Amino acid sequence: MIKEAENIILNKEYFELSAEELATVSELVQNAEEFEEMKWFLASTQQALVSDKIEASPELKQRVMDHLNKPKDERKFWLNSVTVFLFPEDKKFYQKPAFQMSLAAILIIGFLLVYDQPMDENNMALNETPEFVQPSEEDATREVISTGEEGAGGEDLFGTVHTGTDEITELDEVEEEPAMEQSIVRNNNVKSIIVTEDDVADDIPHDGYYSGPTEELDAFDDVTVTETSGGSGNANKSNNTGGLNDQPGNAVTISTSVGTSDDKSPRKDRTEVDAEGKKKQKTADTKNNRFLAQESAPVLANEDANNVSNDEDEMESTTSKPDVAGNAVMDLEKKGEVLKEQKEETIRSYEIHVNESKELKALFGTFK
Amino acid sequence: MKLFKKDYSKYTDEDLMRSYQEGDKVAFEHLYARYESFMINFFYRKLWSDRIKAEDFTHDLFTKIIDKPELFDLDRSFKTWLFSVANNMCKNEYKKQEIRKNTGYDVPEGMDAKDEEILPDTAVDKSSFAEELKKELEKMNEKHREVFMLRHFEGLSLNEIAETLDINAGTVKSRLHHATKTLAEKLAVFRNTMI
């Protein structure tokens, strides 16, 4: 137990202290004089405190006892105040906040229930202003149509469109076209017709105008067919195909240059281009269906690009595969039709790519 | 029936509190009677000698006990628990006043004691030892002041002070000695005039 030095100092004289008490008080006082001073101070302090005391008023006790005798329910004053606020006695029922608040709640809930209908996709707005980024005149002439005879698992398709720094991968195209291509390959060494538009995409003007005419693509008379026969190399697509064209095996490439160099038509306005694009898209859809039907037919299996004789100077290289070359002669009209359809399909798919890239950019911009 | 009447005066504080927790309101009345004067003086001294504030705080303290008697741990000393609750209420009030003081509004009287040195010739002229004691206490560090006040004003023992303030008893002793010695030295000038 801690001995309290103050009690010793107050109750005893210095000469009365025992050795133990002296040790205790030595923390406060060192000698008799200090002992007396401390004694005087402590006594004075107690006197001052006695004179400074106050008495509690009777009202204080009454208030505390009132609180003590209150029922517990009444002690929850804040709940009482809430009740008084919600149900004031001096107002009519429609003026009471509880009624008004419940009415507002019902209205809000009812509004949400009525107007919170499931989303109707048919009524959703469509972005019908695709930006046509079309190749220039020079680029249009370099459009390449390649027919490749690929080995098993030939997936040398364009799945990637390079437009400047953006790279958009069209998964649907990648999934659909290999199956199509493989079916053709299985049908007796038929060259799949692949339209690459990488060159077109690389040089796309980004001003929103389509400088290269699409109608010229239909002019098959101006098309120059180039046959390229790769002996043992990869598919001979000289253009960038996003790294998908490294399948081994022989390949025959027909490069077709579309003669658009004489096109002098002025740049078209975006609305005009949009209208044309829609029209072409419809045409391409119908043609595409026919093309797919033809592809699955064994007719194309007898096609051989080597039989297409071209004396044009633009022909870069010719590679003929002897076993394929002797199979059938491709009807030029038929082939031209197929090529046209293929081109339109390519344009359509490219437009889809561009639209999707725009939407993605807009979406990213929104997120940022 | 008088034979069965409880003699609350023989009950300890803890027994009375236990009875009140069981619903005996008379037990609380006895508790209140025991500590009303203690607490109002405690608040009066701690809250700048403001009588109205002291009564309000006393009222709040006891109403808290009325509303939530279960907060008291029956294993503890009721006296030290009561003083610790009261002391915490005062600390909260100090914080509030400090905020008001910083904003410049409603500074309570006596809150900012003048930091003047008491010169011997002027100090002896002041007859009131109690006033000077208050002033010196206000100048003192809070931790020393509260120990001194609990010891000398409220009459708590060192162990009770230690339990009330939740500090070591040795720390209480050290602080108390420091406060007592400092005050005794500063107020020594009154000794010659008063004797």
Side-chain angles (χ1 to χ4, degrees):
Chain A
M1 182 180 173
I2 298 172
K3 292 185 178 178
E4 297 172 9
E6 292 90 349
N7 290 339
I8 299 169
I9 294 170
L10 279 171
N11 297 325
K12 287 191 174 183
E13 296 298 326
Y14 188 73
F15 60 86
E16 294 176 350
L17 298 176
S18 64
E20 188 183 353
E21 290 170 340
L22 199 60
T24 304
V25 299
S26 65
E27 295 171 357
L28 280 174
V29 293
Q30 303 298 326
N31 50 44
E33 189 180 354
E34 286 183 5
F35 183 88
E36 290 302 318
E37 279 186 7
M38 185 60 70
K39 193 171 189 172
W40 168 84
F41 170 73
L42 292 173
S44 302
T45 303
Q46 285 191 347
Q47 286 176 1
L49 292 176
V50 169
S51 63
D52 199 33
K53 277 192 174 179
I54 61 168
E55 291 295 326
S57 62
E59 290 80 17
L60 173 64
K61 186 176 181 178
Q62 189 61 43
R63 282 161 57 198
V64 174
M65 291 304 129
D66 288 346
H67 189 82
L68 176 67
N69 294 319
K70 272 184 187 174
K72 279 195 174 180
D73 294 340
E74 290 181 22
R75 289 181 201 159
K76 296 175 182 176
F77 55 91
W78 70 272
L79 279 177
N80 290 336
S81 63
V82 168
T83 309
V84 170
F85 171 74
L86 290 174
F87 301 99
E89 293 177 354
D90 55 340
K91 290 184 179 177
K92 295 175 183 176
F93 77 98
Y94 57 84
Q95 290 178 327
K96 292 182 178 180
F99 174 78
Q100 293 171 344
M101 288 166 73
S102 57
L103 193 66
I106 289 168
L107 284 173
I108 291 167
I109 292 168
F111 179 82
L112 290 174
L113 287 174
V114 169
Y115 288 97
D116 189 20
Q117 291 177 343
M119 194 178 291
D120 186 7
E121 292 186 357
N122 294 326
N123 293 333
M124 289 179 72
L126 291 172
N127 184 13
E128 294 181 343
T129 57
E131 186 175 340
F132 282 84
V133 183
Q134 297 183 0
S136 63
E137 298 172 3
E138 297 172 2
D139 299 327
T141 59
R142 288 197 292 145
E143 180 146 4
V144 177
I145 299 170
S146 66
T147 56
E149 186 176 276
E150 298 177 348
E155 295 177 352
D156 190 4
L157 300 170
F158 64 92
T160 306
V161 176
H162 296 275
T163 55
T165 56
D166 296 329
E167 183 173 332
I168 300 161
T169 302
E170 181 60 43
L171 295 175
D172 294 335
E173 294 289 336
V174 173
E175 287 173 0
E176 289 172 5
E177 297 220 13
M180 185 173 68
E181 188 121 1
Q182 285 168 8
S183 67
I184 296 168
V185 170
R186 278 196 301 272
N187 285 329
N188 197 11
N189 300 328
V190 177
K191 298 169 283 299
S192 60
I193 299 169
I194 303 165
V195 177
T196 59
E197 55 178 340
D198 299 316
D199 281 348
V200 178
D202 285 339
D203 297 316
I204 287 169
H206 296 282
D207 55 2
Y209 287 97
Y210 174 54
S211 59
T214 53
E215 56 269 23
E216 274 75 17
L217 295 174
D218 296 332
F220 189 70
D221 295 338
D222 296 334
V223 170
T224 301
V225 177
T226 302
E227 290 185 8
T228 304
S229 173
S232 61
N234 295 333
N236 289 330
K237 288 167 71 175
S238 59
N239 299 314
N240 182 16
T241 54
L244 292 173
N245 59 344
D246 27 347
Q247 300 298 326
N250 297 329
V252 177
T253 303
I254 297 173
S255 299
T256 304
S257 299
V258 181
T260 56
S261 59
D262 54 348
D263 178 38
K264 304 297 181 195
S265 60
R267 285 188 165 187
K268 295 181 178 178
D269 190 68
R270 179 177 291 190
T271 53
E272 294 175 18
V273 174
D274 289 350
E276 288 174 10
K278 286 177 186 174
K279 195 187 291 179
K280 286 179 188 299
Q281 193 168 335
K282 287 180 181 176
T283 312
D285 287 340
T286 55
K287 287 182 178 178
N288 188 36
N289 291 333
R290 276 189 285 149
F291 173 68
L292 289 173
Q294 286 170 0
E295 264 194 334
S296 60
V299 176
L300 281 177
N302 297 324
E303 289 181 3
D304 189 352
N306 292 328
N307 293 328
V308 179
S309 60
N310 268 307
D311 296 327
E312 297 292 333
D313 294 336
E314 293 86 351
M315 184 186 295
E316 295 172 358
S317 63
T318 303
T319 304
S320 61
K321 206 171 181 180
D323 55 342
V324 178
N327 286 337
V329 176
M330 180 69 182
D331 187 3
L332 279 175
E333 277 187 21
K334 204 168 185 178
K335 190 172 181 180
E337 191 178 338
V338 170
L339 286 172
K340 278 192 286 184
E341 290 171 356
Q342 187 63 44
K343 285 172 193 170
E344 287 173 355
E345 186 191 5
T346 305
I347 291 168
R348 187 175 62 84
S349 63
Y350 180 68
E351 287 172 359
I352 292 167
H353 286 312
V354 172
N355 289 337
E356 286 176 353
S357 68
K358 291 286 287 180
E359 289 172 2
L360 280 171
K361 282 179 182 176
L363 194 61
F364 288 150
T366 307
F367 284 142
K368 283 178 182 177
Chain B
M1 291 300 290
K2 203 172 182 180
L3 290 171
F4 299 102
K5 193 175 181 181
K6 292 179 182 176
D7 188 5
Y8 289 103
S9 61
K10 292 181 180 178
Y11 277 38
T12 62
D13 298 340
E14 291 76 24
D15 290 339
L16 289 173
M17 199 60 199
R18 185 182 291 110
S19 297
Y20 178 63
Q21 285 180 347
E22 292 167 357
D24 188 355
K25 291 183 180 178
V26 182
F28 181 81
E29 288 178 12
H30 279 82
L31 265 177
Y32 178 80
R34 287 183 189 182
Y35 285 99
E36 181 199 45
S37 180
F38 276 111
M39 299 323 297
I40 195 168
N41 280 288
F42 175 80
F43 284 121
Y44 181 70
R45 280 186 285 267
K46 294 276 280 185
L47 300 174
W48 316 289
S49 302
D50 188 337
R51 186 188 181 94
I52 296 171
K53 202 178 274 288
E55 288 200 353
D56 288 343
F57 273 70
T58 307
H59 173 264
D60 292 347
L61 175 66
F62 283 108
T63 52
K64 279 179 185 175
I65 298 168
I66 290 168
D67 291 339
K68 294 181 179 179
E70 68 276 5
L71 292 178
F72 172 65
D73 183 4
L74 291 168
D75 295 333
R76 282 190 67 179
S77 162
F78 177 77
K79 187 179 182 182
T80 56
W81 178 73
L82 190 66
F83 273 103
S84 65
V85 173
N87 198 47
N88 290 335
M89 290 172 69
C90 291
K91 284 181 179 176
N92 291 335
E93 181 62 15
Y94 293 157
K95 287 176 186 173
K96 285 181 188 173
Q97 295 297 340
E98 191 64 28
I99 293 166
R100 290 182 189 175
K101 187 182 177 184
N102 291 337
T103 54
Y105 297 107
D106 196 15
V107 181
E109 192 179 348
M111 187 63 180
D112 47 352
K114 291 178 182 178
D115 192 16
E116 293 172 352
E117 193 72 23
I118 299 176
L119 298 173
D121 55 340
T122 55
V124 291
D125 293 336
K126 296 178 180 177
S127 58
S128 176
F129 174 85
E131 284 181 11
E132 290 302 317
L133 180 63
K134 278 184 189 178
K135 286 182 181 179
E136 290 301 326
L137 278 171
E138 286 169 1
K139 289 178 191 176
M140 197 174 278
N141 192 321
E142 169 64 22
K143 59 186 180 183
H144 292 106
R145 180 171 65 236
E146 65 185 2
V147 169
F148 183 86
M149 290 175 76
L150 286 171
R151 174 71 188 96
H152 293 285
F153 296 3
E154 318 306 336
L156 299 184
S157 67
L158 294 183
N159 285 329
E160 286 174 339
I161 295 169
E163 197 175 341
T164 301
L165 300 178
D166 197 19
I167 53 176
N168 193 296
T171 308
V172 174
K173 192 177 179 183
S174 169
R175 288 180 185 176
L176 181 61
H177 286 176
H178 178 268
T180 307
K181 212 168 182 178
T182 306
L183 286 171
E185 286 172 3
K186 289 191 174 181
L187 299 174
V189 290
F190 285 93
R191 190 186 174 197
N192 297 328
T193 57
M194 290 175 75
I195 291 174

